[in-house]
Amino acid sequence: MPNDQTDAFSNRLAALIRQIYPDMDAAALSSKIIAAFWPDNTHRRKRGRRPSNNLWTERDALLITYGNSILDGAHKPLDLLHDFLLRRMNGVVNGVHILPFFPFTSDDGFAVSDFRTVNPQLGDWPDINRIGKDFHLMSDLVLNHVSSQGSWFNSYRQRQAPYADFFFEASPMDDLRAVVRPRTTPLLQEVETANGPRHVWCTFSHDQIDLDFGNPEVLLEFLRIIRLHVDNDVRTIRLDAIAFLWKEVGTASIHLPQTHAIVQLMRLLCDYATETIILLTETNVPKAENLSYFGNRNEAHAIYNFPLPPLILHAVLSGSAQYLRRWQSGMPPAQLGCAYLNFTASHDGIGMRPVEGILPDREQEKMLDTIKQTGGLVSMRALPDGGEAPYEINTTFFEATRQTFSGEDDHHFDRFLCSQTIVMSLEGIPAFYIHAMLATPNDHDQVARRGMNRAINRHRWDYPTLNALLDDPSSLQARVLAALSDRLKIRARQPAFHPNATQFTMPLDNKIFGVWRQSLDRHQSIFALHNVSDQPTTLPHMSMNLIEDETWVDLLTGEEVDMKQDALVLSPYQCRWITNRG
């Protein structure tokens, strides 16, 4: 019934437009939206793609990296990245998130000055295309703000169309006390324009000027940019800082209904695209707010599992999975057609907002104190009452696991490996920052040179030096990469690790974090067990309900479980994947 399907698309699009832009002509704007996303009479699907578990499999895993995390001074960084992916990551991950690869002026790419070109210091679109042919490619849509030095803002200051109305203005006299901020810098910045001084909204920094999506021309421009990404082999679009998209004076200006409606509009377009496009929302906020971006299976296909990094870190530092287990037990399975993106490390810090109400203040303080002892840093955010609170921990995740609340010991390697294995075991798609895969140390020189806490976790490796380390089996970098790679290769062969396979959080001793996973066809079970403590721990077989007439094997050691014994033994920080399907 093509006509019925066309009507369904048109009606849904018009309804969203009326919700976002009630004063606009919905039919006229619909035509502009379709022309922006499907230019030159390109075709869309007759039927929208229905929610299903077929967008991903257990073979999916992602590497997160900057385009210039690897350098040699002679070759294009994107070519070096491609070589690294083929040489070291082939068969380990099948996707790569290249952080903003566009011209920029600050924030390591997140103050974009030109959305349509690749940063020439990295390479060009053909270099992106080559990576996209070999790996599932994710790119950033930095749609909340642009560089203060880019052509869009320069045209705004000159009051040139269409950019004269592209940016959100407010008055210092407005009541902005309720605005939720991730930074401590002033929200408004006064700038000179051809029409006199104006105050523009800056959620993140004064080099990152917030756009005004109340102007539909802004939305149309970003739909064209999404199309550019998709035409260049990008298949996952990361909606950066999406929670702050819509602003209204007198409100918190976060998670407003229009923001959710814009995500729904983008999802509608993606569901009717001939290409398979996945939308991922980046919302570093508490649990309920984060989960809201699944919508009713009509917003993001995937969301970051932001509480994981601080909760996993707390578990391995404290030796107790109490808070991690309690939180995971209360997490709903992702809706049909949706998935969690699981991670511990990223280009940003380890966010503390997601554990508000989950991790008591005294436990957070222990974490912060321990991280500072290992050379890590803490960044703050402004509170509405004028105070400050911890926003994120700045450290590499490898260094973050160097010691526990009790001090240093001989278990650093195993403790870090345990933290990353938890990520591999959970419902969802696992993602790994390149500096976690490479056990990169904290880069204090970069912090001093650049005056930015986050630079501690944004080291740039010299490629010949890195290759020499990775070719030496005794080096820390080679050992960590080999151990993580081995486990990811094992994981990719297990149907019970499908991102939507059944998950049950096991009520075990606090030293062990365990989940039971069962494949979608119910043929395979895996009991994923992780000793987060520095003590040997036993686990009675009856705690796992192992079926007696089946053979159970530990996938990580290849050992068969001796059912004649009463219990399993886990060494300090040991992980075991016990399955009935070898």
Side-chain angles (χ1 to χ4, degrees):
M1 302 287 292
N3 291 335
D4 290 344
Q5 294 298 322
T6 300
D7 288 345
F9 171 80
S10 300
N11 292 339
R12 180 59 181 152
L13 180 57
L16 288 168
I17 290 171
R18 285 191 291 270
Q19 182 178 349
I20 304 165
Y21 304 109
D23 298 328
M24 300 292 296
D25 182 330
L29 187 50
S30 290
S31 297
K32 290 183 178 180
I33 286 172
I34 291 169
F37 199 75
W38 288 287
D40 304 323
N41 296 317
T42 52
H43 297 292
R44 65 176 186 265
R45 293 168 58 98
K46 293 182 179 179
R47 296 174 180 268
R49 191 174 283 104
R50 294 181 177 179
S52 73
N53 294 326
N54 299 325
L55 290 175
W56 33 69
T57 74
E58 58 273 15
R59 295 184 296 278
D60 287 308
L62 194 69
L63 182 77
I64 306 167
T65 180
Y66 279 101
N68 61 354
S69 292
I70 300 170
L71 302 169
D72 69 357
H75 299 88
K76 291 185 289 186
L78 287 173
D79 281 347
L80 297 179
L81 174 60
H82 193 196
D83 182 78
F84 173 80
L85 289 166
L86 293 173
R87 187 187 301 196
R88 308 290 181 181
M89 295 284 102
N90 208 14
V92 177
V93 301
N94 64 351
V96 57
H97 171 201
I98 307 178
L99 290 152
F101 46 78
F102 312 100
F104 69 98
T105 54
S106 66
D107 199 18
D108 284 340
F110 286 92
V112 178
S113 56
D114 184 349
F115 287 94
R116 296 189 169 278
T117 62
V118 174
N119 184 349
Q121 295 181 2
L122 301 178
D124 206 342
W125 281 116
D127 306 306
I128 295 291
N129 301 151
R130 281 190 289 274
I131 295 173
K133 298 299 182 186
D134 293 322
F135 294 86
H136 184 107
L137 186 58
M138 181 196 297
S139 70
D140 284 282
L141 191 69
V142 186
L143 72 172
N144 179 71
H145 49 262
V146 302
S147 168
S148 68
Q149 303 168 58
S151 60
W152 287 15
F153 194 62
N154 286 333
S155 296
Y156 158 83
R157 295 180 68 175
Q158 297 301 318
R159 312 306 292 167
Q160 295 174 356
Y163 305 104
D165 299 315
F166 260 44
F167 295 90
F168 196 89
E169 299 176 353
S171 167
M173 304 303 294
D174 291 332
D175 183 359
L176 304 175
R177 290 174 296 177
V179 175
V180 172
R181 297 294 312 288
R183 300 289 187 272
T184 57
T185 53
L187 176 61
L188 300 183
Q189 176 186 185
E190 183 176 344
V191 297
E192 288 296 329
T193 76
N195 292 348
R198 294 288 188 272
H199 288 85
V200 291
W201 193 286
C202 304
T203 297
F204 291 91
S205 80
H206 284 185
D207 189 39
Q208 295 164 293
I209 315 298
D210 283 40
L211 292 152
D212 184 0
F213 274 81
N215 176 2
E217 292 300 324
V218 177
L219 173 63
L220 292 171
E221 186 60 24
F222 275 99
L223 295 180
R224 297 182 191 104
I225 292 167
I226 292 177
R227 172 49 56 188
L228 174 67
H229 286 221
V230 172
D231 287 346
N232 279 283
D233 303 307
V234 171
R235 289 298 175 263
T236 297
I237 304 291
R238 176 183 182 270
L239 302 180
D240 177 67
I242 185 68
F244 303 98
L245 195 70
W246 196 275
K247 291 92 177 162
E248 287 185 3
V249 171
T251 74
S253 293
I254 187 171
H255 313 310
L256 293 184
Q258 294 90 337
T259 293
H260 284 281
I262 287 174
V263 177
Q264 291 173 31
L265 187 150
M266 291 179 174
R267 170 67 180 265
L268 177 68
L269 299 178
C270 291
D271 283 347
Y272 276 85
T274 56
E275 306 87 354
T276 302
I277 307 170
I278 294 172
L279 289 180
L280 169 69
T281 49
E282 186 262 336
T283 51
N284 193 354
V285 293
K287 169 185 168 182
E289 299 169 42
N290 192 32
L291 289 172
S292 71
Y293 285 86
F294 278 145
N296 185 22
R297 302 187 305 176
N298 61 350
E299 293 191 33
H301 297 90
I303 63 172
Y304 280 88
N305 215 343
F306 274 113
L308 265 186
L311 287 175
I312 289 177
L313 181 60
H314 178 270
V316 298
L317 295 188
S318 68
S320 171
Q322 174 186 354
Y323 297 104
L324 174 62
R325 182 182 66 249
R326 182 184 300 171
W327 165 78
Q328 186 62 69
S329 297
M331 281 292 286
Q335 303 174 52
L336 183 67
C338 300
Y340 296 109
L341 187 77
N342 297 324
F343 70 110
T344 58
S346 74
H347 64 291
D348 288 340
I350 300 168
M352 298 303 291
R353 282 213 67 209
V355 290
E356 292 175 3
I358 301 174
L359 202 57
D361 289 346
R362 67 181 183 278
E363 298 298 323
Q364 294 189 42
E365 290 168 4
K366 291 178 187 177
M367 280 180 61
L368 299 180
D369 289 343
T370 302
I371 293 301
K372 290 174 182 176
Q373 292 172 32
T374 61
L377 305 170
V378 178
S379 294
M380 309 298 287
R381 68 183 180 93
L383 297 175
D385 63 4
E388 293 183 352
Y391 180 66
E392 65 182 17
I393 296 171
N394 301 111
T395 177
T396 69
F397 211 87
F398 185 76
E399 290 293 342
T401 58
R402 178 169 295 280
Q403 69 177 60
T404 69
F405 290 169
S406 301
E408 292 194 33
D409 55 26
D410 296 327
H411 299 301
H412 184 196
F413 182 92
D414 292 328
R415 185 161 49 244
F416 174 74
L417 186 58
C418 175
S419 72
Q420 304 307 295
T421 306
I422 293 173
V423 173
M424 300 180 201
S425 303
L426 293 173
E427 174 197 345
I429 301 166
F432 302 88
Y433 189 38
I434 189 170
H435 294 308
M437 298 291 284
L438 298 175
T440 305
N442 285 334
D443 195 334
H444 290 283
D445 289 342
Q446 284 281 356
V447 175
R449 186 178 305 117
R450 303 177 61 194
M452 181 175 67
N453 283 0
R454 285 179 169 177
I456 199 171
N457 192 26
R458 297 179 181 179
H459 181 71
R460 292 169 184 167
W461 279 99
D462 174 69
Y463 200 28
T465 301
L466 177 61
N467 275 326
L469 288 168
L470 294 178
D471 288 338
D472 175 5
S474 66
S475 77
L476 184 60
Q477 280 65 40
R479 291 172 57 216
V480 167
L481 182 59
L484 294 176
S485 297
D486 287 346
R487 292 191 176 184
L488 279 167
K489 289 176 181 178
I490 293 170
R491 180 191 183 280
R493 299 193 295 269
Q494 314 309 320
F497 282 144
H498 184 285
N500 299 114
T502 298
Q503 176 171 292
F504 173 75
T505 306
M506 302 169 67
L508 304 175
D509 180 278
N510 283 342
K511 294 185 180 67
I512 300 177
F513 177 67
V515 292
W516 170 63
R517 304 293 309 279
Q518 186 180 57
S519 59
L520 295 173
D521 62 9
R522 304 181 69 176
H523 286 174
Q524 184 189 27
S525 286
I526 295 178
F527 294 91
L529 309 171
H530 317 84
N531 182 0
V532 299
S533 78
D534 59 1
Q535 301 296 315
T537 306
T538 59
L539 181 68
H541 288 163
M542 62 185 300
S543 298
M544 296 182 290
N545 296 321
L546 298 182
I547 301 172
E548 291 188 355
D549 58 353
E550 292 197 19
T551 300
W552 294 90
V553 176
D554 184 347
L555 290 166
L556 298 180
T557 64
E559 298 174 358
E560 185 174 326
V561 176
D562 186 353
M563 298 297 292
K564 296 178 182 178
Q565 300 292 326
D566 292 330
L568 289 174
V569 177
L570 283 83
S571 302
Y573 301 107
Q574 183 181 6
C575 301
R576 305 194 73 171
W577 286 346
I578 308 299
T579 186
N580 59 339
R581 181 180 183 272

